[in-house]
Amino acid sequence: SAVISQKPSRDICQRGTSLTIQCQVDSQVTMMFWYRQQPGQSLTLIATANQGSEATYESGFVIDKFPISRPNLTFSTLTVSNLSPEDSSIYLCSVSSTGVGTEAFFGQGTRLTVV
Amino acid sequence: SQQGEEDPQALSIQEGENATMNCSYKTSINNLQWYRQNSGRGLVHLILIRSNEREKHSGRLRVTLDTSKKSSSLLITASRAADTASYFCATVPLNRDDKIIFGKGTRLHILP
């Protein structure tokens, strides 16, 4: 298993600003993922954070809006840039420690409200 | 696009009753997983069933998988108040085993 610490747990941000979310894992993991969960909805994969290379973004998500860093095998950040009210969501970090397509572990999420 | 569709969207039952949630998906899968989410928190993995398995048990949980119908069900027996949560099925596509695709979820409410 993996224990994930995600910070901040919540934030209220002004329109036009940015928020950086941190994800720290207690062990080295191969795969790290960032999801968005809009109110009352399911999880949508934003991107896969790759260690030592650029993140792989899903359709509809771009690097300029959601820059991601992954400097090592235990840490990643997601920045949500140029915030608008439509960005109000829960953002979740997830890891898979036993290989692709297997059990995923999640952080507690970051609840973002844009005003 | 989302792979899984859960049914029902919401379910309320009395404590002690069994709860059944269904999931349908569209494409061939490597495996299917069920997760629980308590009120806007992180998700907790419950059970994984591989495409060549038909049924799996874990404590009070029973999962079935019918690949011919592209459907799965999650049964929670003898429900408890602590089971109140949202339940998501998630699939790992056969052609994209580097990602997990989540369904819309079922909100389960256990009445005391």
Side-chain angles (χ1 to χ4, degrees):
Chain A
S1 65
V3 177
I4 301 169
S5 173
Q6 188 174 334
K7 296 179 181 179
S9 59
R10 58 178 62 228
D11 207 342
I12 300 173
C13 297
Q14 294 289 326
R15 197 186 291 242
T17 63
S18 298
L19 176 69
T20 295
I21 303 167
Q22 299 181 358
C23 178
Q24 178 75 52
V25 190
D26 69 341
S27 58
Q28 293 187 344
V29 293
T30 307
M31 311 294 290
M32 294 184 78
F33 305 91
W34 287 98
Y35 288 86
R36 180 176 73 185
Q37 185 179 27
Q38 294 178 308
Q41 301 296 314
S42 184
L43 282 72
T44 300
L45 181 63
I46 298 172
T48 302
N50 302 309
Q51 194 269 328
S53 64
E54 204 168 274
T56 304
Y57 290 85
E58 296 298 309
S59 176
F61 297 96
V62 295
I63 188 171
D64 290 346
K65 176 67 175 177
F66 299 98
I68 288 171
S69 78
R70 188 168 177 197
N72 56 53
L73 292 174
T74 64
F75 186 78
S76 177
T77 66
L78 168 73
T79 298
V80 189
S81 304
N82 190 23
L83 291 168
S84 69
E86 293 72 35
D87 295 319
S88 296
S89 287
I90 297 173
Y91 292 86
L92 293 148
C93 169
S94 171
V95 305
S96 176
S97 62
T98 56
V100 297
T102 57
E103 176 185 358
F105 301 93
F106 284 82
Q108 288 301 295
T110 296
R111 186 182 294 271
L112 168 63
T113 303
V114 182
V115 297
Chain B
S1 61
Q2 283 175 330
Q3 167 81 306
E5 294 279 340
E6 281 92 335
D7 166 47
Q9 291 187 345
L11 177 64
S12 293
I13 61 172
Q14 293 294 137
E15 192 168 13
E17 294 181 341
N18 297 340
T20 300
M21 289 159 273
N22 302 297
C23 168
S24 61
Y25 57 91
K26 298 175 184 175
T27 63
S28 297
I29 60 171
N30 180 300
N31 64 69
L32 185 144
Q33 305 175 31
W34 285 90
Y35 289 80
R36 184 185 72 222
Q37 184 180 37
N38 288 89
S39 189
R41 308 283 286 173
L43 277 73
V44 174
H45 181 267
L46 295 176
I47 198 164
L48 180 155
I49 186 165
R50 302 194 184 282
S51 60
N52 62 352
E53 298 176 309
R54 292 296 167 257
E55 188 171 311
K56 206 160 184 180
H57 296 254
S58 177
R60 294 184 296 113
L61 305 180
R62 172 176 169 255
V63 169
T64 62
L65 178 64
D66 187 335
T67 53
S68 67
K69 296 181 180 178
K70 292 186 169 57
S71 67
S72 173
S73 67
L74 170 67
L75 169 67
I76 303 174
T77 61
S79 63
R80 306 168 181 170
D83 295 329
T84 294
S86 291
Y87 291 82
F88 294 90
C89 76
T91 53
V92 176
L94 197 58
N95 62 350
R96 267 302 293 273
D97 64 358
D98 61 336
K99 66 188 292 185
I100 301 174
I101 303 174
F102 287 83
K104 293 182 178 178
T106 293
R107 295 186 307 280
L108 175 64
H109 184 54
I110 307 300
L111 303 168

